[in-house]
């Protein structure tokens, strides 16, 4: 007769091997029967055999045999539970099949940007105003220090109406507005200072179609008027705004320019994203790209709306939202915004 | 304007590196379009409309002088001693349009210009012609003063009259185009007829020829608005007109002639015959503008040191004298006549700011002294439209506000002619859109041509109808009614899908709409409904919903055999009808409801809305909702009839309803349906 202790070890080794080989639930059940069956099970046989061992060894051998039995039971039930979990449930579905996605449309990318811009300025205490797209000559030009025959009118080639049309504010209109500045004039005619507003909207110019021009585009303009409003405030506000819109890592540059309705006038450049300021074709080898025009409101504009230009100072700015989109997202052609190709529209975040 | 670096360097000592010169000037308001390095280095500046003085080398030399603190060296202006005088009579008849006119006669030898002159002109982008014309162009590029040379022998009566053209007068200009003139055109005329258009272009008859011996050199100043109008009317933009329409220097005409005389002398191409003739009926004195020191800081937001003000202004040509006007210390500044853009204190502050450096200004934030009124309510309304429609699966489109006239006509109210644009880009963009739908149908066609069958698009924006400019929201839908899924066949969109969205959109504004059968020229009859809101006994029009007529869709490139549904809602009507902001929350029902389903057979043409009306009027107040849940025709229902199944929900707010009460109410309703519509219960 073999040594019972080494028999226990043999049994354990054999069980390990058979358990490792058992790959299915029936295999595991067969293993269980082979070892644990009350009648004929190997472990049961072992326990019986221990009765024949010398009495002084029985407690130690009994302990070993019981530990073996316990191990076998635990490991078998663990493996059986595992196969249980792996077995498909009665109402199982193939979870890898596509789900039902509710339809969800996209805002237009220009709206997305406009909402962001409105969000930034609203946070800074600005009111958002809207106005008519059809304007009269006075509000679009004259009140803005652009009398008839002013050379600056060439800067904005205008689309004229064949005959006057009633505008959204009920006045007879003769032009498609070339900027949203007319709204600012209307606002100042209606409200006394202080003023802090932005005026977004569609504007029209007689520009032929090309990758950076369409005869209709979207603008946002801003106006601040008060008793102590300075060019430095304009610079500070625009820099806060542009860094929030384009990212804090972009460099900004504030440089003199000319607009008839502002004096002094300034343009803001942003460092070219394509080359990081190292000069490339995109930035015409300057490292900078112009993003907006601005300046201190011309006293003639204040006189036109009845504000005292001695007491009040103010600033204004204007930018094209399409241009922001081109610079921000690398859109190659402005016309894509008006083609409404869903493959284009669906690229932008909701 | 193309500035030749070597030429500029002759007038002021600029850095040798052309890039540095370009960069520093660009920071003072002279945008650089291009820099050409190499042997004849050129900087191409984009000069803003307010600075005609900088359409010249001397103008930028003055700017450079202020930047680097180096003096401007004027070119040779010495007038050679004149030979024996030749007679000429010069007369200004319209001093409003020509405030100053200088002329001088020169004996010339016409030849081609020397190499250095040709090279300069070519670098500056001007084509060399002959030494006489080249000298006039050289003076213009150097000093900004346009000049013109007439062949004296071609001037009838040796007389130059500056006058308005006569009606029906004509002139063939140097570009060989015969141009009709009118009373608004200022011309230079001889004793007989016009020989040049003032400030725009000379005439071909008095052009300098190889054989020309005597010339009359013109150097004048013209009224900007007059030159601009003439140039626009004739469609003729020249180097001269571009400068004069922005504003010429009243003191430049004699200087221009002096410079030309010095150059002709240097080239040995000519010498004066007789004195300079200067017609200047109303001499002007330079403008004087008071500049307050305190105002500079207030406008710029930064105190500029007092000594910087003359340091900046004097090199630019301003006369600066420290002064104290009232309590405001500052400077009395006299403005050089070439600075036509400077007339107010703020213009001087701009000069100081430009050269002090915008980059040196601090970045501050304006003081908020008072709150602003709420934003325009239309913005919030547009946002809600977008939220509802994007949630319903529609993506936002933006389409042009103009289209071709014939495409607009089907969308116009009867008898309305769409608003036309006087100067459209082309016939495709000739009239303003009367509706957002044509643009959206175009967008559908665009996507359909790109293999996209399931399309949902919307737009909010202006349209232009008989009442003028108004705002609308419109949406279109074609293809699948729900996103396709493997579990079920695709169901195509139908009338009730688009109607449901319209109702949901109106509902978002607290507006309950009814649909009334209607007709529209661009929608399919029988599948068109007007959206109507009933308030205080009046029906208000909110919009329209229906299937787009296949012919209209096909005309815009959409396949006629496919169904396209559309709706358009008047946002002004939404604004007038939307629920007010003061809402009182309803407490939740405390008692259970009882449901009764009924099925009735009625005539198939009986509108569902009529059935609902009959039920409402026959039901007790405990009826809280009616819902159609089936509509059946076929086996068991006689032809021409339809079986309607309706779910009625009853509830009382103060007690639990009994089954008996619900049954009695239901019986009453069925009875009313029977007597009103001959309905039979199934």
């Amino acid at each position: 007769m073999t040594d019972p202790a080494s028999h226990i070890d043999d049994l354990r080794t054999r069980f390990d091997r058979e358990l490792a080989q058992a790959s299915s639930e029936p295999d595991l059940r067969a293993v269980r029967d082979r070892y644990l069956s009350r009648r004929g099970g190997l472990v049961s046989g072992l326990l019986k055999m221990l009765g024949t061992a010398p009495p002084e060894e029985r407690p130690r051998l009994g302990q070993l045999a019981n530990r073996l039995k316990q191990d076998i039971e635990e490991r078998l039930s663990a493996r059986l539970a595992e196969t249980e979990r792996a077995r498909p449930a009665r109402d199982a579905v193939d979870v890898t099949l596509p789900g039902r996605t509710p339809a969800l449309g996209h805002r237009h990318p220009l709206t997305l940007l406009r909402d962001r811009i409105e969000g930034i300025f609203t946070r800074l205490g600005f009111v958002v105003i809207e106005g008519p797209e059809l304007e009269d000559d006075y509000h679009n030009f004259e009140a803005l220090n652009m009398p008839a025959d002013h050379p600056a009118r060439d800067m904005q080639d205008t689309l004229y109406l064949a005959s006057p049309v009633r505008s959204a504010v009920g006045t007879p209109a003769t032009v498609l507005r070339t900027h949203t500045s007319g709204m600012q004039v209307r606002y100042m005619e209606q409200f006394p200072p202080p003023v802090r507003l932005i005026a977004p909207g569609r504007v029209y110019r007689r520009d032929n179609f090309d990758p950076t021009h369409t005869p209709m585009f979207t603008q946002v303009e801003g106006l601040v008027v008060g008793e102590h409003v300075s060019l430095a405030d304009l610079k500070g506000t625009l820099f806060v705004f542009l860094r929030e819109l384009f990212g804090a890592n972009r460099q900004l540059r504030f440089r003199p320019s000319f607009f008839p309705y502002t004096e002094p006038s300034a343009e803001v450049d942003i460092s070219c994203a394509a080359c990081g300021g190292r000069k490339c074709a995109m930035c015409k080898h300057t490292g900078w790209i112009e993003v907006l025009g601005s300046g201190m409101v011309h006293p003639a504009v204040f006189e036109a709306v009845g504000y005292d230009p001695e007491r009040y100072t103010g600033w204004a700015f204007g930018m094209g939202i399409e241009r922001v989109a081109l610079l921000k997202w690398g859109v190659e052609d402005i016309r894509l915004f008006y083609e409404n190709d869903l493959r284009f529209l669906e690229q932008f975040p909701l | 304007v193309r500035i030749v670096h070597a030429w500029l360097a002759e007038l002021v000592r600029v850095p040798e590196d052309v890039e540095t010169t370009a960069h520093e000037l660009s920071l003072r308001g002279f945008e650089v379009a291009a820099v050409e390095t190499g042997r004849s280095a050129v900087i191409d500046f984009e000069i803003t409309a307010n600075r005609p003085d900088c359409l010249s080398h001397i103008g930028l030399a003055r700017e450079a002088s202020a930047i680097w603190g180096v003096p401007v060296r004027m070119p040779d202006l010495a007038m050679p001693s004149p030979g024996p005088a030749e007679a000429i009579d010069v007369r200004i008849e319209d001093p409003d349009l020509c405030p100053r006119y200088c002329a001088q006669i020169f004996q010339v030898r016409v030849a081609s210009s020397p190499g250095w002159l040709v090279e300069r002109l070519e670098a500056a982008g001007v084509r060399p012609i002959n030494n006489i014309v080249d000298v006039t162009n050289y003076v213009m590029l150097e000093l900004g003063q346009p000049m013109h040379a007439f062949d004296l022998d071609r001037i009838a009566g040796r007389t130059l009259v500056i006058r308005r053209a006569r009606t029906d007068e004509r002139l063939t200009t140097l570009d060989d185009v015969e141009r009709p003139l009118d009373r608004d055109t200022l011309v230079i005329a001889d004793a007989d007829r016009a020989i040049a258009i003032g400030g725009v272009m000379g005439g071909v008859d008095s052009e300098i020829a190889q054989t020309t011996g005597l010339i009359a050199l013109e150097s004048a100043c013209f009224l900007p608005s007059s030159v601009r109008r003439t140039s626009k009317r004739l469609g003729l933009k020249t180097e001269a007109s571009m400068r004069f329409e922005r504003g010429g220097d009243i003191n430049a005409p004699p200087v221009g002639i002096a410079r030309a005389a010095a150059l002709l002398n240097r080239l040995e191409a000519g010498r004066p015959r007789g004195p300079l003739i200067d017609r200047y009926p109303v001499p002007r004195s330079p403008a004087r503008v008071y500049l307050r020191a305190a105002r500079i800081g207030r406008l710029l937001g930064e105190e500029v040191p007092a000594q910087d003000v003359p340091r900046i202004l004097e090199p630019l040509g301003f006369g600066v004298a420290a002064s104290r006007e009232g309590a405001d210390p500052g400077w009395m500044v006299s403005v050089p006549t070439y600075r036509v853009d400077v007339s107010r204190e703020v213009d001087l502050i701009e000069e100081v700011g430009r050269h002090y450096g915008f980059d040196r200004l601090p970045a501050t934030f304006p003081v908020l002294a008072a709150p602003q009124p709420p934003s325009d309510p239309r913005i919030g309304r547009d946002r809600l439209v977008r939220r509802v429609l994007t949630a319903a699966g529609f993506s936002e489109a933006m389409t042009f506000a103009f289209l071709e006239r014939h495409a607009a006509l089907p969308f116009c109210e009867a008898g309305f002619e769409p608003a036309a644009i006087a100067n459209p880009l082309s016939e495709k963009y000739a009239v303003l859109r009367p509706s957002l739908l044509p643009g959206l149908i175009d967008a559908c066609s665009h996507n359909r041509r790109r293999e996209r069958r399931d399309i949902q698009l919307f737009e909010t924006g202006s349209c232009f109808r008989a009442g003028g400019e108004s705002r609308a929201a419109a949406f279109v839908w074609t293809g699948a009614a729900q996103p396709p899924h493997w579990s079920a066949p695709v169901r195509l969109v139908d009338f009730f899908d688009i109607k449901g969205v319209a109702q949901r959109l109106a509902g978002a504004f607290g507006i309950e709409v009814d649909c009334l059968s209607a007709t529209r020229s661009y929608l399919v009859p029988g599948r068109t409904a007007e959206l109507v809101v009933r308030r205080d006994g009046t029906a208000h029009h909110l919009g329209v919903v229906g299937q787009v007529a296949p012919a209209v869709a096909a005309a815009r490139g959409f396949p006629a055999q496919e169904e396209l549904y559309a709706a358009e809602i008047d946002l002004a009507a939404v604004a007038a009808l939307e629920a007010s902001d003061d809402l009182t929350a309803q407490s939740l029902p405390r008692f259970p409801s009882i449901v009764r389903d009924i099925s009735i057979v009625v005539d198939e043409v009986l509108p569902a809305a009529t059935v609902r009306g009959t039920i409402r009027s026959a039901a007790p107040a405990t009826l809280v909702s009616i819902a159609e849940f089936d509509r059946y025709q076929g086996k068991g229902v006689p032809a021409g009839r339809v079986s309607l199944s309706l779910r009625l929900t009853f509830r009382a707010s103060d007690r639990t309803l009994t089954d008996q009460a619900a049954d009695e109410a239901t019986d009453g309703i069925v009875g009313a349906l029977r007597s009103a519509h001959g309905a039979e219960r199934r």
Side-chain angles (χ1 to χ4, degrees):
Chain A
M1 176 175 181
T2 53
D3 167 28
S6 67
H7 183 63
I8 289 170
D9 283 346
D10 289 349
L11 218 49
R12 182 181 288 277
T13 312
R14 195 173 144 201
F15 172 75
D16 284 348
R17 191 176 60 244
E18 287 180 20
L19 185 69
Q21 281 165 357
S23 59
S24 64
E25 198 185 328
D27 288 355
L28 289 166
R29 292 194 190 285
V31 174
R32 186 176 65 185
D33 291 348
R34 189 150 57 247
Y35 286 86
L36 299 179
S37 168
R38 272 183 210 287
R39 280 188 293 175
L42 292 169
V43 176
S44 314
L46 172 69
L47 291 173
K48 274 182 202 142
M49 195 186 84
L50 290 185
T52 64
E56 65 279 18
E57 287 192 30
R58 271 185 222 160
R60 186 180 67 87
L61 290 172
Q63 224 170 21
L64 282 173
N66 273 323
R67 193 177 303 149
L68 176 66
K69 185 183 177 199
Q70 207 176 333
D71 281 357
I72 289 175
E73 279 169 351
E74 276 173 14
R75 291 175 64 198
L76 269 170
S77 62
R79 282 289 303 274
L80 279 165
E82 213 173 277
T83 55
E84 183 82 0
R85 277 197 299 276
R87 194 178 56 190
R90 214 189 319 276
D91 304 321
V93 295
D94 178 354
V95 297
T96 65
L97 275 169
R100 285 184 196 92
T101 320
L104 188 55
H106 286 247
R107 269 179 300 173
H108 195 279
L110 297 175
T111 301
L112 182 74
L113 276 182
R114 185 180 150 168
D115 284 350
R116 278 192 197 171
I117 292 167
E118 287 179 8
I120 295 169
F121 279 104
T122 306
R123 185 168 64 72
L124 300 180
F126 285 64
V127 55
V128 187
I129 65 166
E130 293 230 345
E133 292 181 20
L134 303 183
E135 262 296 1
D136 48 60
D137 191 84
Y138 178 79
H139 286 94
N140 197 69
F141 293 118
E142 260 183 70
L144 293 157
N145 200 29
M146 279 189 282
D149 297 319
H150 194 291
R153 284 201 180 192
D154 279 352
M155 291 162 76
Q156 303 175 357
D157 235 340
T158 309
L159 287 164
Y160 292 91
L161 292 166
S163 51
V165 176
R166 191 172 182 272
S167 83
V169 290
T171 52
T174 53
V175 303
L176 279 71
R177 65 176 176 192
T178 57
H179 45 199
T180 61
S181 311
M183 288 150 63
Q184 304 179 31
V185 173
R186 292 180 182 281
Y187 189 89
M188 288 191 281
E189 285 170 345
Q190 198 184 344
F191 298 100
V195 173
R196 190 181 284 223
L197 64 81
I198 59 165
R202 288 178 190 177
V203 300
Y204 303 87
R205 292 193 193 163
R206 201 174 181 286
D207 287 331
N208 279 302
F209 288 90
D210 69 32
T212 56
H213 291 93
T214 46
M216 180 181 98
F217 62 99
T218 321
Q219 240 196 0
V220 59
E221 297 193 347
L223 174 71
V224 172
V225 182
E227 292 194 0
H228 300 283
V229 175
S230 74
L231 190 63
D233 293 337
L234 170 62
K235 182 176 174 178
T237 308
L238 290 181
F239 279 24
V240 165
F241 160 60
L242 291 171
R243 289 224 164 88
E244 190 160 337
L245 192 61
F246 284 100
N249 54 343
R250 301 292 283 275
Q251 298 295 304
L252 296 165
R253 186 169 83 164
F254 197 57
R255 96 191 128 68
S257 185
F258 165 71
F259 303 101
Y261 27 86
T262 50
E263 187 82 22
S265 302
E267 282 179 331
V268 180
D269 298 333
I270 188 164
S271 56
C272 179
C275 62
R278 285 187 304 278
K279 302 183 181 184
C280 68
M282 168 107 180
C283 55
K284 291 189 206 148
H285 303 281
T286 59
W288 297 96
I289 293 177
E290 179 197 324
V291 280
L292 59 75
S294 63
M296 299 301 292
V297 178
H298 198 289
V301 176
F302 282 157
E303 284 158 6
V305 299
Y307 283 9
D308 177 1
E310 264 304 301
R311 182 170 169 198
Y312 298 108
T313 51
W315 49 252
F317 72 87
M319 72 192 294
I321 297 183
E322 282 83 350
R323 192 170 169 75
V324 174
L326 298 188
L327 296 177
K328 193 175 167 62
W329 291 317
V331 176
E332 286 157 5
D333 193 323
I334 189 175
R335 289 170 286 196
L336 284 166
F337 293 114
Y338 296 99
E339 261 179 10
N340 302 304
D341 193 314
L342 283 160
R343 295 169 301 178
F344 177 72
L345 299 177
E346 287 167 355
Q347 289 179 34
F348 297 94
L350 293 165
Chain B
V1 66
R2 291 171 61 85
I3 295 297
V4 182
H5 199 243
W7 196 344
L8 183 65
E10 227 169 70
L11 299 170
V12 66
R13 192 160 50 76
V14 286
E16 274 182 24
D17 176 31
V18 60
E19 297 271 7
T20 307
T21 307
H23 176 71
E24 289 296 327
L25 282 161
S26 79
L27 292 183
R28 269 99 184 152
F30 303 95
E31 207 175 325
V32 173
V35 176
E36 295 165 21
T37 50
R39 206 170 71 83
S40 64
V42 170
I43 311 168
D44 192 356
F45 289 106
E46 283 168 16
I47 302 297
T48 52
N50 60 328
R51 293 301 301 274
D53 62 303
C54 284
L55 294 169
S56 69
H57 286 73
I58 193 75
L60 289 155
R62 285 189 286 257
E63 293 288 331
S65 166
I67 297 173
W68 288 289
V70 287
V72 171
R73 296 180 289 244
M74 281 306 278
D76 181 8
L77 299 172
M79 175 69 70
S81 60
E86 288 283 342
I88 183 142
D89 182 28
V90 179
R91 212 165 62 236
I92 301 179
E93 280 189 3
D94 281 284
D96 295 351
L97 304 189
C98 176
R100 190 169 194 177
Y101 194 96
C102 289
Q104 193 165 14
I105 295 176
F106 287 79
Q107 174 82 51
V108 297
R109 210 169 48 235
V110 179
S112 49
S113 296
W116 67 267
L117 180 49
V118 168
E119 203 175 293
R120 283 239 166 132
L121 291 181
E122 281 178 341
V126 172
R127 189 167 55 93
I129 294 171
N130 58 48
N131 52 0
I132 309 304
V133 175
D134 293 351
V135 161
T136 62
N137 283 332
Y138 191 92
V139 173
M140 176 182 71
L141 296 171
E142 187 172 64
L143 302 180
Q145 172 64 15
M147 315 264 298
H148 185 67
F150 297 99
D151 184 334
L152 188 65
D153 291 336
R154 311 298 298 265
I155 301 178
R158 290 228 171 164
T159 301
L160 291 175
V161 187
I162 297 89
R163 59 163 171 83
R164 287 169 186 271
R166 305 196 180 98
T167 31
D168 301 334
E169 205 167 7
R170 302 179 84 81
L171 172 68
T172 303
T173 42
L174 283 171
D175 53 358
D176 265 329
V177 178
E178 194 191 37
R179 299 184 184 272
L181 308 175
D182 62 20
R183 289 288 297 151
D184 285 335
T185 312
L186 184 78
V187 297
I188 319 302
D190 61 14
D192 301 334
R193 61 207 168 99
I195 57 171
I197 299 173
V200 181
M201 195 179 260
V204 78
D205 283 345
S206 53
E207 191 181 1
I208 304 302
Q210 281 299 317
T211 54
T212 300
L214 287 170
I215 63 164
L217 208 53
E218 164 197 296
S219 181
C221 189
F222 299 102
L223 183 72
S225 58
S226 158
V227 172
R228 180 176 157 79
R229 271 198 299 270
T230 299
S231 155
K232 279 209 112 156
R233 191 172 50 243
L234 298 176
L236 184 58
K237 242 182 148 78
T238 62
E239 293 280 339
S241 75
M242 186 177 76
R243 286 169 173 82
F244 282 126
E245 73 170 37
R246 286 165 170 73
D249 174 7
I250 193 76
N251 285 324
V255 181
I257 295 224
R259 179 61 178 143
L263 283 165
L264 288 173
N265 192 40
R266 177 175 166 194
L267 301 185
E268 297 177 341
R271 57 185 298 231
R273 296 287 298 270
L276 171 79
I277 297 160
D278 185 359
R279 299 284 178 259
Y280 187 16
V282 189
R284 296 183 197 163
S285 44
R288 285 155 55 83
V289 179
Y290 193 70
L291 172 59
R292 292 165 293 178
R295 194 76 185 171
I296 300 176
R298 185 162 164 202
L299 214 64
L300 297 182
E302 166 102 313
E303 294 304 325
V304 174
Q307 67 271 19
D308 282 357
V309 172
R311 188 186 57 72
I312 289 167
L313 292 179
E314 279 167 355
L316 296 174
F318 293 90
V320 183
S323 168
R324 174 172 287 274
E325 195 174 81
D328 289 321
W331 299 267
M332 182 53 76
V333 179
S334 69
V335 180
T337 46
Y338 50 79
R339 288 305 301 270
V340 291
D341 60 315
V342 177
S343 60
R344 312 175 69 133
E345 183 183 37
V346 66
D347 301 324
L348 293 171
I349 295 174
E350 172 167 60
E351 295 306 292
V352 172
R354 268 192 324 119
H355 279 279
Y356 176 78
F358 282 11
D359 49 337
R360 286 166 69 190
L361 293 180
T364 54
F365 195 76
V367 173
L368 184 57
Q372 294 296 290
S375 288
D376 193 306
R378 284 175 293 188
I379 293 165
R381 237 174 262 131
D382 280 1
R383 288 216 171 122
L384 185 53
V385 168
R386 283 190 198 101
R387 266 170 59 198
V388 171
L389 291 177
T390 52
F394 293 84
S395 282
E396 187 180 15
M398 287 199 187
T399 68
F400 291 116
F402 17 64
L403 70 170
E404 61 267 66
R405 179 175 171 276
H406 73 85
L409 290 177
F411 297 90
C412 291
E413 302 113 301
F416 171 67
E417 178 62 30
I421 294 170
N423 56 337
L425 274 178
S426 76
E427 284 308 305
K428 267 183 86 177
Y429 312 103
V431 301
L432 295 176
R433 61 180 173 192
S435 156
L436 302 179
L437 291 175
L440 285 174
I441 296 169
D442 283 350
C444 284
S445 305
H446 174 95
N447 281 288
R448 188 63 191 74
R449 280 195 297 271
R450 282 156 186 81
E451 302 172 357
R452 185 79 172 227
R453 289 178 171 272
D454 306 330
I455 303 164
Q456 289 178 268
L457 286 169
F458 79 97
E459 181 171 12
T460 66
S462 297
C463 45
F464 308 89
R465 303 176 202 260
E469 178 181 346
S470 65
R471 299 243 288 205
F475 43 102
V476 290
W477 194 346
T478 183
Q482 285 121 17
H485 192 252
W486 51 267
S487 61
V490 168
R491 181 176 72 75
L492 294 177
V493 60
D494 65 20
F495 177 85
F496 300 102
D497 290 305
I498 197 100
K499 173 183 171 177
V501 175
Q503 286 177 313
R504 168 59 52 83
L505 182 57
F509 291 93
I511 301 171
E512 198 180 321
V513 287
D514 286 339
C515 274
L516 298 185
S517 179
T519 54
R520 289 287 185 281
S521 54
Y522 53 95
L523 297 175
V524 173
R527 291 185 173 192
T528 302
E530 192 169 340
L531 300 166
V532 168
V533 183
R534 293 178 206 283
R535 287 280 167 81
D536 312 324
T538 337
H540 303 269
H541 172 82
L542 194 76
V544 69
V545 53
Q547 186 190 344
V548 176
V552 170
R556 308 205 67 76
F558 189 83
Q561 70 280 8
E562 290 178 24
E563 294 188 0
L564 173 61
Y565 289 87
E568 188 162 33
I569 286 178
D570 176 0
L571 288 178
V574 169
L577 296 166
E578 71 182 339
S580 77
D581 216 16
D582 31 285
L583 173 143
T584 309
Q586 300 288 310
S587 46
L588 300 177
R590 290 167 54 212
F591 299 96
S593 56
I594 297 183
V595 168
R596 289 291 178 268
D597 289 349
I598 57 170
S599 287
I600 52 168
V601 176
V602 293
D603 277 351
E604 65 180 359
V605 294
L606 183 67
T610 310
V611 173
R612 286 170 157 262
T614 304
I615 294 174
R616 284 263 173 235
S617 50
T622 51
L623 177 69
V624 290
S625 80
I626 310 166
E628 290 83 353
F629 68 90
D630 192 27
R631 184 180 165 87
Y632 171 75
Q633 279 180 295
K635 198 168 168 236
V637 177
R641 305 273 281 174
V642 63
S643 164
L644 293 181
S645 298
L646 298 137
R647 173 158 296 177
L648 308 174
T649 306
F650 299 91
R651 187 171 56 231
S653 58
D654 55 352
R655 64 187 189 280
T656 302
L657 278 186
T658 60
D659 281 337
Q660 193 193 349
D663 289 341
E664 281 169 10
T666 307
D667 289 346
I669 287 166
V670 172
L673 289 169
R674 187 179 306 118
S675 55
H677 312 301
E680 299 157 39
R681 195 163 184 179
R682 286 183 81 207

